[in-house]
Amino acid sequence: MSLVYPSSHPLVFEKLAALRSIETRPPEFRRLVRSLAQLLAFEATADLPTREVTVTTPLGAATCRVLSDPVLIVPILRAGLGMADGILDLIPDAQVWHVGLKRDETTLLPAEYYRRLPEQLHKATVLVVDPMLATAGSAVHACELIRKLGPCRLKFLALIAAPEGVEHFSRMMPDVPIHVGVIDERLNEVGYIYPGLGDAGDRQFATFE
Ligand code: PRP
Ligand code: URA
């Protein structure tokens, strides 16, 4: 469990409290997902490599540092989309690739319905994002696909995780750090994170039936 980084930032606590509330409607829920993704990405990107560049200011030459490797964001559809939007505000030059997964409600296994990933990776940082790490089946599936594309600096970002999912992910992907807002109590009997926030996709996209 050494590569699991739950946030200790008070702003993350504050925004998670609002995100969880049953009173929070989709417009505010989306804003919170974006802000939380930015706060977590800020923490997750603290060790990215940089290179020196010279920038001409109105007064002269300034020695500056910029990211040296490309950053790729891979949201797991649907619920990861809001996180990707938020992180793009922080890293506007990032590439965004997609993996579409839907968890079977009975088996809890992810079924893949969409994949648009680069053919290969070279010296890249890849941030796989999904608000919920429940059993971790979806997260492991997405990271396995990326691993096949070549060596990269792979990280997984989630807003809320279940201890069972953290355990499973750490066992399957021991060298992939998890940056997470909070680790909750447990999975409930139907595979939802408890107390969690309910269905992150439905709450973002107002698809309540
Ligand atoms: C949710 C969530 C994760 C997955 C987590 O998506 O956004 O992708 O379940 O569960 P797991 O850790 O047990 O795999 P869902 O499959 O409901 O699809 P959606 O984003 O379209 O709502
Ligand atoms: N997917 C969600 O949206 N919420 C959960 O608690 C588990 C899976």
Side-chain angles (χ1 to χ4, degrees):
M1 293 247 180
S2 56
L3 295 183
V4 183
Y5 303 106
S7 180
S8 56
H9 201 297
L11 290 180
V12 172
F13 299 160
E14 173 102 352
K15 288 177 192 299
L16 277 172
L19 188 79
R20 287 180 190 274
S21 170
I22 195 171
E23 308 291 340
T24 300
R25 306 301 305 150
E28 179 61 5
F29 191 91
R30 287 193 291 272
R31 279 192 285 275
L32 288 162
V33 167
R34 288 175 72 105
S35 314
L36 279 161
Q38 290 173 351
L39 291 167
L40 293 180
F42 189 74
E43 294 177 354
T45 53
D47 63 349
L48 294 198
T50 57
R51 66 185 165 84
E52 200 171 288
V53 293
T54 303
V55 171
T56 307
T57 79
L59 302 183
T63 303
C64 303
R65 301 203 71 82
V66 295
L67 294 177
S68 50
D69 296 341
V71 175
L72 281 63
I73 307 168
V74 180
I76 300 179
L77 307 178
R78 291 172 300 166
L81 284 171
M83 291 184 72
D85 279 349
I87 299 171
L88 266 181
D89 286 346
L90 276 189
I91 316 172
D93 287 329
Q95 302 170 27
V96 184
W97 299 86
H98 297 89
V99 175
L101 301 175
K102 179 78 194 105
R103 203 167 72 139
D104 181 294
E105 285 172 17
T106 313
T107 64
L108 300 184
L109 295 173
E112 186 180 319
Y113 60 85
Y114 187 75
R115 185 192 303 183
R116 181 97 168 83
L117 292 172
E119 281 181 8
Q120 55 180 22
L121 290 169
H122 178 64
K123 277 185 70 176
T125 298
V126 182
L127 305 176
V128 177
V129 300
D130 191 325
M132 310 307 277
L133 185 74
T135 65
S138 306
V140 168
H141 182 93
C143 289
E144 278 172 346
L145 294 179
I146 288 155
R147 269 284 145 78
K148 288 183 190 148
L149 306 175
C152 66
R153 193 176 300 102
L154 180 57
K155 298 176 186 240
F156 183 76
L157 277 64
L159 304 187
I160 303 185
E164 296 88 338
V166 170
E167 221 264 355
H168 179 58
F169 187 90
S170 303
R171 197 160 8 92
M172 301 299 288
M173 297 274 147
D175 56 342
V176 180
I178 306 175
H179 292 267
V180 60
V182 67
I183 301 174
D184 266 7
E185 261 178 66
R186 58 181 167 84
L187 283 181
N188 73 6
E189 48 295 338
V190 289
Y192 269 66
I193 302 171
Y194 182 85
L197 53 72
D199 191 304
D202 287 346
R203 294 193 66 183
Q204 269 181 81
F205 299 113
T207 47
F208 309 109
E209 286 176 327

